[in-house]
Amino acid sequence: MVNIPALEQMNQILHILFVFLPFLWALGILPPPDALFLWAMEQILEFGLGGSSMSTHLRLLVMFIMSAGTAITSYFIPSTVGVVLFMTGFGFLLSLNLSDVGHKIGTKSKNLPSGPEKHFSWKECLFYIIILVFALLETGLLHHFAGFSQISKSSSQDNVGYGLMILLIILWILREIQSVYIIGIFRNPFYPKDVQTVTVFFEKQTRLMKIGIVRRILLTLVSPFAMIAFLSLDSSLQGLHSVSVSIGFTRAFRMVWQNTENALLEIVIVSTVHLISSTDIWWNRNLDTGIRLLLVGIIRDRLIRFISKLQFAVTVLLTSWTEKKQRRKTTATLCILNIIFSPFVLVIIVFSTLLSSPLLPLFTLPVFLVGFPRPIQSWPGAAGTTACVCADTVYYYQMVPRLTAVLQTAMAAGSLGLLLPGSHYLGRFQDRLIWIMILECGYTYCCINIKGLELQETSCHTAEARRVDEVFEDAFEQEYTGVCSLNEHFGNVLTPCTVLPVKLYSDARSVLSGIIDSHENLKEFKGDLVKVLVWILVQYCSKRPGMKENVHNTENKGKAPLILPASNTSPPPKSPEDIDSLNSETFDDWSDDNIFDDEPTIKKVIEEKQLKDLPGTNSFIPGSVESQRVGDHSTGTVPENDLYKAVLLGYPAVDKGKQEDMPYIPLMEFSCSHSHLVCLPAEWRTSCMPNSKMKELSSLFPEDWYQFVLRQLECFHSEEKASNVLEEIANDKVLKDFYVHTVMTCYFSFFGIDNMAPSPGHILRVYSGVLPWSVALDWLTEKPELFQLALKAFRYTLKLMIDKASLGPIEDFRELIKYLEEYECDWYIGLVSDEKWKEAVLQEKPYLFSLGYDSNMPESALEISRANRNLCSQI
């Protein structure tokens, strides 16, 4: 074996290579073993076996083993017909997405539900079975025809080659029509000129989509069968097959389905060279068609990579001089050296291209090195496992399924150009950027990775985002007068493709100066709050799960007595220090000055309290007046001023010799047997308000509105009796007293002892769920469901106040109900930090509304944050 020339040459080459290994390792060209192994598998799978790079390392390993097994098995099949059918069948099956997962979403996280997955439906399975059967029939019949027909096999294959040339030209034209620029240079005259006019844009986009459907049919149905006909008629398959035939044609029959456009281009090139060249040349004489296609595929891929890397090197070289921020003292010297040693630079670029490894500019300078070879998926783990979760994640997560759906249509139509694994796309909408990477391609599927980006955190990022906007604006928003205009940003790394209609949320922020600080608006706010409370409580009670089940069971029943429980709680003793603490701490924390600090901190006064009854003491109501009983006399120990301040927080003062004013507790029964269908829960009917205070607040209750709301209910199936029943319910005084008690207690808990118009700071605090202290606070917070309903009513009222200030006053009750129903159905009104806000985004509520405060703005400049669903995304 020492005298074998091949081994001697290999020995010499390896000795030279071993000398350079430390040098290559120092420059980072020598890859780690895992990267080298995965890169080698990916290159063999893609160019030797006709597959595609995979989205995960596990998929890559499994697909490599299956594809290699197919090529090896085909070598041992004795029958030529069996070989052709085997290659065709497995080539089709391996090009499908057999893992049932069609999309890898980059925004997956542990805190969010799993992303959308595409599974084969029975329709898709039936479609693929039909395609497979027809492909096998065509291959078998044409191979049999080519072996026994008297007609020249080469002429038949040549005729099919001519047809493939025409098909390639048609597909190229139809693909270029879909994007905004033709070959990235000329403005497409068929593309909509102004994307801002939505109606016109959709009309023209619909026409382009029709052309896209024609292209998709030609690409997925016509082209594969035409290429199978070309391969089946090849004479190399008629004789005893060799290793080259097994490898070459296994790849060719796989490429027909895996990457149809590239396979069509390769077959056309091979057919054209065969037609225009002599049969005696080495290319035609020594190589069969499968190996020719394999070599053309490698040359095509490396040529595209070389052009891309050369463009990248020239861009880095030019921008290092033209961009001021990238210009350094040594830039001029480096540019001159690159020009002088340009042959060596080209050698580096060629070497990087041959290895399919990245070209690395050292410290962003025009000094180029070759990176080590690596697979396309160069990050560890599955796509999306390391996604960063932030406040904006939920908006990207809502957008991804819809974006994926329109991407499928755009990719099928050809709007995004030629799809190749490793290609990158950038989507832009308002202040959001989306990075889309193609990980894997196959027959009728594409595996992508979508990442949400934010590039406006710093001034540099803002400049980059502005540059992206300029490229998109010139492509999609600028008016073009000529028939065919040029791309002003030709040569830029970004080439605009298309505009995709996607439903997503857009932000709109408004300042409430002049609205929330208007005395008239705030005065109307308090009156509207009572009405909204009535509407929300009535709607809630009428739609409770147990209510509708009892609608038909109440006609034969009599009046059901509903009695409020009595309360014997008496005000307990309280020390002067407690009252001083109440006045000095609670209300100081609740002053309007605190919320408008540079960093406002709001102390929550809503707390869960557990009061333990001690022997000889009674549970007490916070804020009640202290008194010490001596015999039959009551001697007050609280200063007169403190007593006057605290008296409205608890029970009224008790005059000497007079009976105490007990809490307002009506003991009555319903006058209508159907009233219990809209009655408030029993725990909400307990009383905490003194009788005198309740009578004072009852005058604010809108009885006409209350009756109108009840008459509008639709909780009865029988329309004939519904109006009479609702009339009886509306006239039930006991039911009305219950609503008066609950509504006015909630109303009192929002404003405490202050009966004046609320301030903007007060509105913000209550909107945020921080209520002022009052005798009704504990009563309300002990009922979480009622508290949430009351808070929702307060937020609805604020939205109503803003709408009235913007759109004009409300004319009648019907218009008011229309507003409230719209808030209930189409809006989520709350805080951005709420979990329900995220749920509303994922449920795609049409509108979101929040209220906040900017410490850098004037005191009255509270800020509204709206999020509306809009169309648009530029790629």
Side-chain angles (χ1 to χ4, degrees), residues 555-851:
E555 295 183 0
N556 299 325
K557 291 184 179 180
K559 298 179 181 179
L562 297 175
I563 302 175
L564 285 176
S567 174
N568 295 325
T569 304
S570 60
K574 191 175 182 69
S575 65
E577 289 81 0
D578 292 337
I579 297 180
D580 292 337
S581 176
L582 170 67
N583 293 328
S584 62
E585 293 181 4
T586 307
F587 291 114
D588 286 347
D589 289 340
W590 239 88
S591 63
D592 286 339
D593 297 334
N594 293 340
I595 196 168
F596 296 121
D597 294 337
D598 292 338
E599 294 182 358
T601 57
I602 304 173
K603 180 181 290 186
K604 289 258 185 178
V605 296
I606 301 176
E607 298 178 355
E608 295 183 0
K609 299 181 179 180
Q610 295 180 352
L611 302 180
K612 297 182 180 180
D613 292 334
L614 300 178
T617 61
N618 296 324
S619 59
F620 61 94
I621 299 177
S624 58
V625 181
E626 180 209 1
S627 61
Q628 294 181 353
R629 292 189 178 275
V630 180
D632 294 331
H633 300 279
S634 175
T635 306
T637 61
V638 182
E640 183 177 356
N641 291 338
D642 291 341
L643 178 62
Y644 179 76
K645 291 179 181 179
V647 69
L648 287 180
L649 297 179
Y651 292 119
V654 181
D655 293 337
K656 182 177 180 181
K658 291 188 177 182
Q659 185 178 1
E660 294 183 0
D661 189 7
M662 298 298 294
Y664 177 66
I665 306 173
L667 301 175
M668 300 178 67
E669 62 181 11
F670 291 135
S671 62
C672 175
S673 60
H674 299 276
S675 295
H676 71 279
L677 297 176
V678 291
C679 183
L680 296 163
E683 61 271 14
W684 296 2
R685 302 196 296 266
T686 57
S687 178
C688 68
M689 298 287 292
N691 192 8
S692 57
K693 189 63 181 177
M694 183 57 67
K695 287 183 178 179
E696 178 186 345
L697 293 173
S698 299
S699 61
L700 303 176
F701 187 82
E703 186 173 353
D704 53 346
W705 165 254
Y706 163 78
Q707 294 182 352
F708 179 80
V709 171
L710 286 176
R711 293 190 182 103
Q712 301 300 314
L713 292 177
E714 298 179 355
C715 59
F716 295 93
H717 298 284
S718 176
E719 297 182 359
E720 299 177 357
K721 298 181 180 181
S723 58
N724 296 331
V725 173
L726 292 175
E727 186 68 28
E728 294 178 6
I729 294 175
N731 295 326
D732 192 328
K733 293 183 179 181
V734 176
L735 182 65
K736 188 199 76 172
D737 289 341
F738 288 158
Y739 273 95
V740 170
H741 162 261
T742 304
V743 168
M744 301 318 298
T745 304
C746 295
Y747 173 84
F748 180 77
S749 66
F750 285 137
F751 302 106
I753 62 173
D754 188 6
N755 289 326
M756 303 298 292
S759 64
H762 183 100
I763 295 289
L764 176 60
R765 281 190 292 265
V766 178
Y767 185 94
S768 302
V770 183
L771 275 62
W773 194 95
S774 68
V775 69
L777 178 60
D778 288 343
W779 176 89
L780 182 59
T781 54
E782 288 171 358
K783 305 165 180 60
E785 199 168 7
L786 178 60
F787 175 76
Q788 292 300 325
L789 291 173
L791 188 60
K792 182 168 76 169
F794 188 92
R795 293 170 175 176
Y796 280 15
T797 308
L798 175 64
K799 179 67 175 65
L800 182 65
M801 180 184 73
I802 297 170
D803 287 346
K804 288 169 63 177
S806 305
L807 305 176
I810 295 176
E811 298 179 357
D812 53 18
F813 287 164
R814 292 188 181 276
E815 186 177 359
L816 177 56
I817 284 185
K818 189 176 180 180
Y819 271 93
L820 297 178
E821 289 177 346
E822 181 184 353
Y823 297 160
E824 189 73 18
C825 297
D826 298 336
W827 288 77
Y828 175 77
I829 302 175
L831 297 175
V832 179
S833 57
D834 292 343
E835 285 298 323
K836 290 186 178 180
W837 180 281
K838 297 180 181 179
E839 294 176 4
V841 171
L842 296 178
Q843 293 170 3
E844 295 189 338
K845 280 277 188 179
Y847 307 100
L848 307 175
F849 177 93
S850 181
L851 183 70

Side-chain angles (χ1 to χ4, degrees), residues 319-559:
T319 54
S320 63
W321 177 258
T322 57
E323 297 289 336
K324 293 182 179 180
K325 292 185 178 181
Q326 296 184 12
R327 191 183 304 169
R328 299 177 179 87
K329 295 180 181 180
T330 59
T331 301
T333 305
L334 292 174
C335 291
I336 294 173
L337 291 175
N338 273 278
I339 294 173
I340 294 174
F341 295 99
S342 56
F344 294 98
V345 176
L346 286 175
V347 169
I348 292 174
I349 295 174
V350 170
F351 186 56
S352 174
T353 302
L354 293 176
L355 292 178
S356 185
S357 60
L359 186 65
L360 176 65
L362 187 63
F363 303 114
T364 68
L365 295 171
V367 178
F368 300 102
L369 298 175
V370 179
F372 66 85
R374 67 198 72 184
I376 288 180
Q377 189 205 348
S378 56
W379 56 89
T385 53
T386 58
C388 178
V389 179
C390 61
D392 292 338
T393 302
V394 66
Y395 300 106
Y396 287 103
Y397 191 80
Q398 174 272 329
M399 174 179 50
V400 162
R402 292 186 174 273
L403 177 62
T404 305
V406 297
L407 278 174
Q408 286 180 333
T409 305
M411 290 176 176
S415 301
L416 303 184
L418 184 63
L419 300 177
L420 295 173
S423 300
H424 297 269
Y425 296 90
L426 190 69
R428 177 71 168 162
F429 173 69
Q430 290 187 350
D431 60 342
R432 297 179 194 145
L433 283 167
I434 296 176
W435 193 273
I436 304 170
M437 181 179 179
I438 297 181
L439 302 177
E440 178 183 341
C441 288
Y443 185 64
T444 68
Y445 85 93
C446 184
C447 200
I448 61 176
N449 178 26
I450 300 177
K451 299 178 182 179
L453 303 179
E454 179 52 63
L455 294 183
Q456 294 183 343
E457 297 293 337
T458 64
S459 59
C460 294
H461 292 163
T462 303
E464 293 170 358
R466 181 56 195 161
R467 184 61 173 170
V468 173
D469 290 338
E470 289 177 1
V471 174
F472 281 135
E473 287 172 3
D474 292 340
F476 300 114
E477 299 178 13
Q478 183 178 348
E479 294 184 1
Y480 292 89
T481 55
V483 178
C484 189
S485 305
L486 295 177
N487 180 10
E488 297 179 2
H489 300 278
F490 174 70
N492 194 294
V493 69
L494 295 177
T495 302
C497 295
T498 186
V499 174
L500 302 179
V502 184
K503 271 193 173 182
L504 42 80
Y505 285 97
S506 63
D507 294 332
R509 297 180 181 271
S510 305
V511 178
L512 293 182
S513 299
I515 297 178
I516 202 170
D517 54 351
S518 171
H519 182 73
E520 294 181 359
N521 292 341
L522 294 174
K523 188 176 180 181
E524 292 181 3
F525 176 87
K526 299 185 74 173
D528 291 339
L529 177 59
V530 182
K531 295 179 181 178
V532 178
L533 276 168
V534 170
W535 183 82
I536 285 182
L537 291 180
V538 170
Q539 292 295 319
Y540 170 80
C541 293
S542 64
K543 294 178 181 178
R544 278 190 296 170
M547 292 297 102
K548 293 185 177 181
E549 297 176 1
N550 299 327
V551 169
H552 299 289
N553 300 330
T554 57
E555 295 183 0
N556 299 325
K557 291 184 179 180
K559 298 179 181 179

